Amino acid sequence: MTATIKLISPVDGRVYAERRCADATQIEQALTAAATAQAQWKRRPLSERAAFCSAVVDAMLAMKTDIVRELAWQMGRPVQFGAGELRGFEERARHMIAIAPEALAAIEPTPVSGFRRHIQRDPLGTVLVIAPWNYPYLTAVNTIIPALMAGNSVILKHASQTLLVGERFAEAMANANLPAGLFHNLLLDHRQTTDIIGSGRVQQVNFTGSVGAGEAMETAATGRFLGVGLELGGKDPAYVRADANLEHAVENLVDGSFFNSGQSCCAIERIYVDKTIYPAFIERFAALTRQYVLGNPLDEATTLGPLVTPAAADFVRGQIAEALAQGATALIEPTAFPVDEPGSAYLAPQVLIDVTHQMSVMREESFGPVVGIMPVEGDDEAIALMNDSEFGLSASIWTQDLAAAERLGNEIDTGTVFMNRCDYLDPALAWTGVKNSGRGVTLSRLGYEHLTRAKSFHLRHEI
């Protein structure tokens, strides 16, 4: 019997949507159609692919009003911030379309008399995109649009928590008149997903999610010689130097810690502050945190919505309780946020001081609205603590010294180094991680290298 997926809304705990998983026939039809359509699509001029992909972006943006409310119901983001994800969606998609001619252009080695030599970028075939719920449009578009631009077909398996997002992608593709068979949105369970990966009928898998699920992706791909791109967890640090612009650092780090209720792989989860400005920093940081309005994300006044599930909120509550039992001090009084109750998805933001790296809240990914802040003696101690993690997705340095930021950035084990900003993906730069934060690259021209294969031409025309 085909399984049924129920989308439980974090807003009120009720079933918001219910769908059946794809059955074996639908999966077979999708895989076959994707391979057939891709064989023709790759022959289309790049300009034609770009026109179709641009139309997809336009079609998605036309649904903005409905999408913003759907996001609030599906994963709890306040409606006043919902449109921001679509702005990011457009920025990334348009950029990847614009750079495709250069990124996919043939490489011409130094000419040799009597020979015509070049390296072209060929599409891989069918790309399976496994997208998460926390930034459901942004994470998916990182691969979908460049995969299509490179001449691939795409199968999207979206998180069950945001299953309507997959449907919106399919609707945008249809409204853009994308050739039939090139894009498929499939609602799959875990077994079906791993079966597709191990089938030999997809040539690239791009996954965003937990470390454990990433390990499952690699296991399913064993022996199939396909590419596996993994964006996994994060425990992203920030270092505030003594010369930092204090107001700017506080404002942006509060936002970087608590935007999307902290449910971002590149959210700020631990902060190290030079001891000379530490007292002023934590005072201002806590004061600004207290200004959040926790509540129903459909309310325009809400600035902090619920976590995706009550279980996710209780996990963070457990981290906080454990840290307090080990000597940490909480700067935010939860009673100031009445809807924060045990067992509820609604969780007040929390700022912890007197923390150490022996505490879970400073080592394990929280994925919620909590941040620990420690004073440091200077650069050396800050770098040592920033690197004391199994993760390495992004890190930020807050200083007015560009040379110092570059020097320190070279010492941090991370995929992206920020100076005076955080929690942002620049589509012109490679999005990647080290250690348990993953492998592979999306965005930038390097993202195209993971969606294509090199094919060399060595043509001797003088004999």
Side-chain angles (χ1 to χ4, degrees):
M1 181 180 294
T2 304
T4 298
I5 300 295
K6 293 183 178 181
L7 192 171
I8 307 299
S9 174
V11 175
D12 56 12
R14 291 185 293 180
V15 176
Y16 179 65
E18 186 172 353
R19 301 286 190 275
R20 288 189 178 277
C21 286
D23 59 30
T25 299
Q26 291 171 317
I27 294 171
E28 172 62 29
Q29 290 174 343
L31 290 169
T32 300
T36 301
Q38 191 271 332
Q40 298 302 316
W41 177 249
K42 69 179 182 181
R43 295 184 173 90
R44 293 248 191 177
L46 189 56
S47 59
E48 290 187 15
R49 292 184 223 156
F52 278 112
C53 287
S54 295
V56 169
V57 178
D58 294 339
M60 190 71 84
L61 296 176
M63 298 184 277
K64 179 178 72 172
T65 300
D66 291 334
I67 284 173
V68 167
R69 290 186 63 82
E70 286 175 357
L71 281 175
W73 279 107
Q74 290 177 95
M75 47 75 65
R77 184 178 303 136
V79 290
Q80 69 164 287
F81 302 131
E85 177 151 3
L86 286 181
R87 287 193 295 272
F89 169 92
E90 180 179 19
E91 179 188 29
R92 296 181 193 181
R94 303 260 192 233
H95 178 81
M96 296 305 289
I97 293 169
I99 68 170
E102 178 185 0
L104 297 171
I107 299 171
E108 304 277 354
T110 302
V112 174
S113 178
F115 292 88
R116 169 76 172 92
R117 301 179 305 150
H118 67 276
I119 306 166
Q120 73 180 30
R121 306 299 310 185
D122 277 4
L124 298 173
T126 299
V127 177
L128 173 62
V129 180
I130 306 174
W133 53 264
N134 63 321
Y135 283 94
Y137 288 94
L138 289 179
T139 51
V141 81
N142 287 355
T143 297
I144 290 173
I145 290 297
L148 291 171
M149 285 298 299
N152 299 290
S153 58
V154 173
I155 292 177
L156 172 64
K157 185 275 181 203
H158 219 298
S160 58
Q161 188 66 43
T162 42
L163 58 84
L164 297 188
V165 175
E167 295 178 3
R168 288 294 183 184
F169 267 100
E171 185 177 354
M173 300 291 174
N175 291 344
N177 295 312
L178 192 76
L182 268 182
F183 176 87
H184 300 268
N185 171 54
L186 295 179
L187 187 59
L188 306 169
D189 61 27
H190 295 312
R191 180 191 58 78
Q192 291 172 318
T193 303
T194 56
D195 285 350
I196 289 175
I197 294 171
S199 70
R201 301 177 70 183
V202 297
Q203 287 67 52
Q204 174 72 26
V205 178
N206 277 13
F207 167 79
T208 304
S210 69
V211 174
E215 292 172 348
M217 299 298 113
E218 287 199 323
T219 298
T222 300
R224 287 300 180 181
F225 308 115
L226 71 159
V228 179
L230 303 172
E231 185 197 324
L232 308 177
K235 191 71 181 174
D236 289 5
Y239 170 37
V240 185
R241 300 181 84 230
D243 68 336
N245 180 316
L246 190 59
E247 293 296 336
H248 177 81
V250 168
E251 178 182 355
N252 285 274
L253 284 171
V254 168
D255 182 68
S257 300
F258 301 125
F259 187 81
N260 209 40
S261 297
Q263 298 171 121
S264 172
C265 53
C266 56
I268 297 298
E269 294 207 2
R270 49 199 176 104
I271 302 175
Y272 308 100
V273 183
D274 188 281
K275 67 177 184 179
T276 61
I277 61 169
Y278 178 77
F281 180 89
I282 60 172
E283 178 183 1
R284 298 182 190 193
F285 194 100
L288 188 55
T289 300
R290 295 185 187 103
Q291 294 181 23
Y292 275 99
V293 177
L294 176 67
N296 189 316
L298 296 159
D299 185 338
E300 290 286 350
T302 296
T303 55
L304 194 72
L307 271 69
V308 68
T309 63
D314 281 343
F315 174 80
V316 180
R317 289 187 180 100
Q319 279 193 324
I320 294 169
E322 179 186 80
L324 295 177
Q326 294 175 340
T329 301
L331 297 184
I332 307 300
E333 179 52 60
T335 56
F337 299 85
V339 295
D340 178 350
E341 299 178 353
S344 163
Y346 292 86
L347 177 64
Q350 187 54 269
V351 182
L352 299 175
I353 59 173
D354 302 319
V355 290
T356 72
H357 271 221
Q358 282 66 54
M359 298 175 182
S360 166
V361 76
M362 295 299 284
R363 300 192 64 84
E364 296 181 32
E365 186 173 33
S366 300
F367 225 64
V370 60
V371 63
I373 309 178
M374 295 176 62
V376 293
E377 295 287 339
D379 293 350
D380 290 344
E381 183 181 9
I383 296 303
L385 289 169
M386 294 172 89
N387 285 339
D388 183 27
S389 174
E390 66 179 286
F391 298 108
L393 189 57
S394 78
S396 61
I397 302 168
W398 303 78
T399 178
Q400 299 185 64
D401 188 335
L402 177 59
E406 292 180 323
R407 173 176 54 82
L408 296 174
N410 281 323
E411 301 301 319
I412 303 173
D413 300 329
T414 189
T416 296
V417 177
F418 293 107
M419 173 182 173
N420 295 331
R421 78 176 311 175
C422 59
D423 194 24
Y424 171 74
L425 275 68
D426 183 340
L429 299 177
W431 187 242
T432 186
V434 300
K435 298 189 280 190
N436 281 358
S437 285
R439 51 180 280 190
V441 172
T442 56
L443 301 178
S444 79
R445 64 178 300 168
L446 296 184
Y448 276 110
E449 294 186 10
H450 290 255
L451 295 168
T452 56
R453 62 170 61 88
K455 184 174 184 177
S456 294
F457 284 77
H458 193 116
L459 311 176
R460 184 173 185 174
H461 57 80
E462 293 182 10
I463 301 175

